[in-house]
Amino acid sequence: MEKLEEQIQILDFPDLGDERGNLVVVEGGQAIPFDIKRIFYIYGSDTEVVRGSHANLRSEFVMINVSGTSKVKVDNGHEQRILELNRPRMGLYLKSMVWKEMYDFSPDSVLLVLSNEHYDPNEYIRDYKTYLEMVGK
Ligand code: TYD
C-alpha cells in the first residue's frame, strides 16, 4: 500500500518577477511532473460548498490557488491530510487514486487545476464506498 506522502507533493514554484510584478511559470514535464493535457479552474464557489469528492483511475492533478485560498482534504483510504492552498506559487500535486475534497473557498478563490489526462467521466470514482473497496479498505 502506497503511503499518502508518496501520493501527494507540495510544489513550490519560483517567482520570476521583478519590479514590474510577479511572474510564475509552470511547464509540463518541468515544474509540473506530467505533460499537461487539461486545464480547468473553479471560482465563485461559496465557503460552505464542497467540491471534488472523487478519485481518478488515471488522472493526476496539480492544484494552484492563483487567487484567494481554499482547502483540500486528501485521502487514500488509510490516511487523510488537509492542505491549505494559500499562495499562487504553491502547487499541490496529486497522483491518481487519491480521494480529494475541495472546500473553504475564499470569495476571491480561483483554483486552477492542471491534469495529465483529458476529461473522461469513466475514470472518475465518485462513490466513497466503492473507492474504499478499490484501495483495499
Ligand atoms: P465535477 O467533477 O463535479 O467538478 P468538481 O470536481 O470541481 O466537483 O464536474 C462538474 C461538471 O463539469 C460535470 O458535469 C463534469 C464537467 N467536467 C468536464 O466536462 N470536464 C472536466 O474536466 C471537469 C473537471 C468537469
Side-chain angles (χ1 to χ4, degrees):
M1 178 205 323
E2 226 183 330
K3 283 205 159 92
L4 186 60
E5 68 182 53
E6 284 153 18
Q7 295 172 292
I8 69 169
Q9 194 185 339
I10 291 167
L11 309 175
D12 193 26
F13 308 124
D15 185 352
L16 307 180
D18 51 33
E19 64 285 348
R20 296 169 297 167
N22 303 100
L23 173 68
V24 177
V25 179
V26 292
E27 293 199 43
Q30 295 180 21
I32 303 301
F34 48 73
D35 284 335
I36 301 161
K37 276 197 191 161
R38 173 163 60 127
I39 297 175
F40 56 94
Y41 39 96
I42 294 167
Y43 61 98
S45 288
D46 286 339
T47 332
E48 65 272 16
V49 164
V50 179
R51 302 202 57 125
S53 301
H54 41 58
N56 295 73
L57 292 173
R58 293 189 310 277
S59 288
E60 301 187 355
F61 300 96
V62 171
M63 302 182 160
I64 307 166
N65 251 110
V66 291
S67 166
T69 61
S70 69
K71 292 200 181 84
V72 186
K73 184 164 95 179
V74 290
D75 178 357
N76 66 1
H78 302 271
E79 298 169 78
Q80 294 188 344
R81 198 170 152 191
I82 292 169
L83 299 117
E84 181 171 355
L85 302 180
N86 55 15
R87 56 205 159 86
R89 287 182 42 228
M90 173 185 183
L92 173 61
Y93 170 50
L94 306 181
K95 290 189 180 175
S96 60
M97 288 306 282
V98 176
W99 188 270
K100 59 211 164 298
E101 293 175 10
M102 299 84 86
Y103 62 101
D104 245 1
F105 296 95
S106 65
D108 59 344
S109 173
V110 181
L111 179 59
L112 179 71
V113 186
L114 316 175
S115 180
N116 64 325
E117 295 280 346
H118 291 296
Y119 182 66
D120 173 6
N122 296 318
E123 63 106 25
Y124 276 70
I125 305 152
R126 292 181 178 273
D127 178 64
Y128 189 62
K129 203 164 153 273
T130 306
Y131 171 72
L132 289 180
E133 283 163 13
M134 291 176 82
V135 295
K137 181 87 181 197

